[in-house]
Amino acid sequence: MQITTFKLLEQKFRAAFDKLGFNASFPVVLKESGRPEFGDYQVNGLMSIAKSLKADARELAAQVIAEIESEDIFSKLEVAGPGFINITLSNEYLSHNLTKDLLHVVADHPRTIVVDYSSPNLAKEMHVGHLRSTIIGDALVRLYEFLGNKVIRRNHVGDWGTQFGMLVAYLLETNDSDLNLELNDLEGFYRKAKTRFDADESFAERARECVVKLQAKDPQIIALWEQFVKISLNHCQKIYDRLQVKLTPKDAIGESSYNDLLPLVVQDLVDRKVAVDSEGAKCVFFAQGELETPDETPFIIQKKDGAYLYSTTDIAAVYDRVKNLHADRLVYVIDARQSLHLRQLFAAVKKAGWMQAGTIMEHVAFGTMLGEDNKPFKTRSGDVIKLTALIEEAVARATLLVRKQNPDWSDDEINKLAEAMGIAALKYADLSKNRISDYVFNFDQMLAFDGNTAPYMLYAYVRTISIFKKAHLDLKTCLDKKIVIVENDEHSLAVHLVKFADRLLQAAEENYPHYICSYIYDLAVLFMKFYENCPIIKAENQAVQDSRLALAALTSEVLKVSLSLLGISVVERM
């Protein structure tokens, strides 16, 4: 098990609590200090312990300090206020832990994690509503992998159902010789097929017949359907590649993939008496409070006409992921509005007893992207914005900014940086927000060079590597130099660097990428203070210069690794 700074401090204070005979139920309430001038960490909670023991909280805090071992970790432990303990880490402890090993962080208990994210409907082009799931899911995949978990990506695409009968019927009717050209505009193709379906009953009947043939795996219908799915997935993949997310065609496991499992899982739930007949349909009912919501709507898994639903497919997907992929953590990066559906799904499969002890199912919910009118983000005409259009505009706006700042650059240099900055701005603007919250989409804010934005973070990285470029030094070699902490700004930067592992593990456990964003923003601010107040190249002697070069190199690498976990590539100059 990796002992991070936070865990080490918890262990030390827990041991002191035990020596003083505190009840094991009394927690060590350890927090990062909000006032660095008073210390790096703080232990709270002694007031409530003192109240239970009918003791004086300040005296109790002093007794705890007296029992703390390994004083070399601390430079100062002091009682503050009504019974807080302020903790200042020693510079020796910081120096010992500030090595390139800091970059190697491993989960305490690596798992096999299936991450369900993006999940577009293949009947239409990807739109702005798919952005958050895609970006948040990709960041979590990268984080889980970095921490040593086995991660399986699942893009649960919509590739089945009535609408595909309609689309295949329209393909048969158009008999277009160049299907690739016809499907180049998926939205246009879908609209034309839907118009025919709504206006012509004979066409609608042929579409329904195509659904039956599709389900029966008619060779001609299946061939057309496969062609349509392939072209649709190619549309998606172009966006994934441009956004630099890790999804590949192999990760796209459509609803159709689970067809053969549907009757099996329904029968299994019936046999286990988890699902019961209700007016001809098969449903899972829930006891009061079982869903942790006042809505106790039953979970319908098969309609009375025998048809299956999305719920059935989702149950089959869980069955496959647990039984065949041996996942012990299932993560669903899905809009918060689907919370009831996922509560029902999780409760149903738990009733089925498919899960091993310790298996985790999580809904990584996220809010809505809003326009500046605080309504769901759409075009002025009220249409949903295509994702390709949003990306193009982000890059176009970044191009104007880069050209203005670097008028002497070539078009190729401008376009390369603008592409990186535009994509980074889109992703970072989303990931830096608490995912639960709705947020207002604003190009000017996300492309700003100040504040917690992608341009600022990219610039902070460029600033760190420029030190080594100007001095003609190798950054990687400087990582091996010994760090000796003396100045206050060195100490503040060092304390933040040793929090790296704790912050990554916390982000992975709670599924909050914005923890990483806030961490590196604070890191960049602390580095700028260090850079301004602690001369590096012009340090007073070689030992001090080597130490500060190592601090700068480690900061640079932490920034680079952290941005990569967010799916953002660094740039060499801005």
Side-chain angles (χ1 to χ4, degrees):
M1 180 182 291
Q2 185 172 14
I3 301 297
T4 66
T5 296
F6 196 90
K7 289 176 186 172
L8 180 62
L9 295 177
E10 276 191 323
Q11 287 179 4
K12 296 297 178 186
F13 280 88
R14 182 76 261 167
F17 279 21
D18 291 343
K19 285 181 181 178
L20 291 169
F22 291 176
N23 191 300
S25 64
F26 291 152
V28 175
V29 184
L30 179 67
K31 305 284 185 183
E32 294 178 9
S33 175
R35 300 283 297 276
E37 64 269 27
F38 297 134
D40 303 320
Y41 291 85
Q42 187 176 79
V43 172
N44 303 333
L46 284 166
M47 286 78 78
S48 61
I49 296 175
K51 186 176 180 180
S52 298
L53 299 177
K54 297 181 180 179
D56 180 84
R58 286 183 60 87
E59 290 181 6
L60 208 59
Q63 292 174 33
V64 170
I65 290 174
E67 295 294 343
I68 294 291
E69 296 181 351
S70 299
E71 287 78 7
D72 57 318
I73 298 172
F74 312 106
S75 67
K76 189 189 297 183
L77 290 172
E78 60 181 0
V79 180
F84 304 116
I85 299 176
N86 286 338
I87 303 166
T88 302
L89 298 176
S90 72
N91 288 336
E92 291 73 22
Y93 170 80
L94 294 171
S95 298
H96 179 74
N97 285 276
L98 289 177
T99 70
K100 58 188 176 184
D101 289 340
L102 183 84
L103 298 165
H104 302 294
V105 187
V106 180
D108 292 341
H109 305 287
R111 291 177 172 271
T112 298
I113 308 175
V114 173
V115 185
D116 188 320
Y117 66 115
S118 191
S119 306
N121 189 325
L122 296 186
K124 300 179 182 179
E125 290 186 45
M126 290 181 72
H127 55 76
V128 68
H130 297 115
L131 184 63
R132 298 208 74 186
S133 176
T134 302
I135 288 174
I136 295 168
D138 187 63
L140 292 177
V141 163
R142 291 169 181 270
L143 178 57
Y144 299 151
E145 288 178 340
F146 183 80
L147 296 176
N149 298 285
K150 178 183 177 182
V151 182
I152 301 169
R153 301 181 293 272
R154 277 292 179 262
N155 191 1
H156 189 82
V157 295
D159 66 347
W160 204 244
T162 303
Q163 60 191 341
F164 287 92
M166 175 186 78
L167 294 165
V168 168
Y170 191 70
L171 283 175
L172 286 168
E173 184 173 276
T174 55
N175 195 25
D176 198 305
S177 58
D178 191 347
L179 186 59
N180 286 339
L181 183 64
E182 178 70 24
L183 290 182
N184 196 46
D185 178 12
L186 277 175
E187 290 289 329
F189 185 86
Y190 182 86
R191 278 195 299 269
K192 288 185 282 187
K194 186 71 166 63
T195 299
R196 291 282 291 121
F197 186 85
D198 292 339
D200 187 338
E201 181 54 37
S202 63
F203 176 83
E205 184 58 34
R206 290 199 299 277
R208 285 188 280 269
E209 290 172 0
C210 284
V211 173
V212 175
K213 291 180 180 179
L214 186 60
Q215 293 171 340
K217 299 185 179 179
D218 176 277
Q220 181 191 21
I221 303 300
I222 285 289
L224 286 170
W225 170 78
E226 286 176 343
Q227 197 170 359
F228 181 85
V229 168
K230 181 180 178 182
I231 293 169
S232 299
L233 284 173
N234 285 341
H235 277 263
C236 297
Q237 195 59 46
K238 288 176 183 177
I239 291 174
Y240 295 144
D241 291 344
R242 194 168 186 192
L243 287 175
Q244 298 179 35
V245 300
K246 301 191 76 170
L247 286 169
T248 69
K250 290 182 180 178
D251 303 320
I253 307 298
E255 295 166 352
S256 61
S257 303
Y258 302 106
N259 280 343
D260 293 343
L261 269 177
L262 301 183
L264 185 151
V265 296
V266 169
Q267 190 59 50
D268 188 73
L269 293 179
V270 170
D271 291 344
R272 294 172 184 267
K273 296 182 172 52
V274 172
V276 296
D277 283 327
S278 177
E279 299 180 11
K282 291 183 174 60
C283 306
V284 180
F285 288 89
F286 304 100
Q288 186 174 0
E290 192 172 355
L291 297 178
E292 299 178 359
T293 173
D295 191 336
E296 294 162 13
T297 305
F299 200 45
I300 305 172
I301 61 172
Q302 190 173 20
K303 296 200 292 189
K304 62 183 178 181
D305 63 2
Y308 299 114
L309 302 96
Y310 290 122
S311 56
T312 330
T313 305
D314 285 342
I315 286 176
V318 173
Y319 184 92
D320 177 60
R321 293 166 188 182
V322 172
K323 298 292 187 180
N324 299 325
L325 301 180
H326 308 294
D328 55 8
R329 185 177 182 184
L330 281 69
V331 176
Y332 291 78
V333 187
I334 297 176
D335 192 315
R337 289 170 291 188
Q338 297 296 317
S339 70
L340 175 61
H341 172 77
L342 287 172
R343 281 195 180 109
Q344 291 175 319
L345 173 67
F346 296 168
V349 296
K350 283 178 182 175
K351 285 173 178 284
W354 296 340
M355 302 295 170
Q356 303 241 344
T359 298
I360 299 170
M361 292 185 290
E362 298 166 288
H363 178 197
V364 178
F366 54 85
T368 303
M369 185 191 295
L370 305 175
E372 293 185 24
D373 58 358
N374 282 309
K375 295 179 180 178
F377 194 41
K378 294 184 178 180
T379 64
R380 289 181 181 177
S381 62
D383 294 330
V384 177
I385 298 173
K386 291 182 182 180
L387 201 40
T388 49
L390 192 72
I391 294 169
E392 288 292 348
E393 185 166 357
V395 173
R397 287 174 180 252
T399 302
L400 293 175
L401 286 173
V402 174
R403 192 179 298 280
K404 182 179 179 180
Q405 289 197 329
N406 305 285
D408 298 331
W409 283 19
S410 69
D411 286 346
D412 184 59
E413 290 172 316
I414 289 170
N415 293 337
K416 186 175 179 181
L417 177 56
E419 178 77 11
M421 197 165 85
I423 299 296
L426 264 183
K427 299 173 87 168
Y428 196 88
D430 192 309
L431 295 170
S432 61
K433 311 292 190 302
N434 184 326
R435 58 175 169 78
I436 295 296
S437 305
D438 297 342
Y439 80 97
V440 175
F441 187 91
N442 184 294
F443 276 118
D444 291 337
Q445 289 179 8
M446 70 175 59
L447 286 165
F449 277 85
D450 56 348
N452 191 13
T453 66
Y456 178 77
M457 296 314 310
L458 292 175
Y459 175 72
Y461 174 76
V462 169
R463 189 82 175 268
T464 61
I465 63 172
S466 67
I467 296 167
F468 301 91
K469 286 183 177 180
K470 289 176 183 176
H472 304 289
L473 294 169
D474 179 60
L475 187 150
K476 297 287 187 184
T477 302
C478 290
L479 282 171
D480 294 323
K481 296 180 183 294
K482 180 176 175 56
I483 292 176
V484 179
I485 305 299
V486 177
E487 303 294 336
N488 286 338
D489 288 311
E490 293 174 330
H491 180 92
S492 296
L493 178 59
V495 168
H496 199 69
L497 284 167
V498 298
K499 294 176 182 177
F500 178 61
D502 283 313
R503 200 56 49 86
L504 292 194
L505 292 168
Q506 182 188 20
E509 181 180 353
E510 299 180 29
N511 298 313
Y512 281 125
H514 78 279
Y515 289 166
I516 300 174
C517 297
S518 61
Y519 173 82
I520 57 174
Y521 175 67
D522 291 341
L523 178 63
V525 170
L526 289 168
F527 177 79
M528 292 303 181
K529 289 181 181 177
F530 158 75
Y531 180 81
E532 290 167 4
N533 297 326
C534 302
I536 300 176
I537 302 305
K538 295 182 180 180
E540 55 264 36
N541 58 57
Q542 190 63 51
V544 173
Q545 184 190 81
D546 285 349
S547 173
R548 291 176 180 171
L549 283 169
L551 258 179
L554 195 55
T555 300
S556 182
E557 288 296 284
V558 169
L559 284 173
K560 184 178 182 179
V561 167
S562 298
L563 287 168
S564 74
L565 295 179
L566 300 172
I568 294 173
S569 300
V570 295
V571 295
E572 295 295 312
R573 63 176 186 148
M574 290 182 75

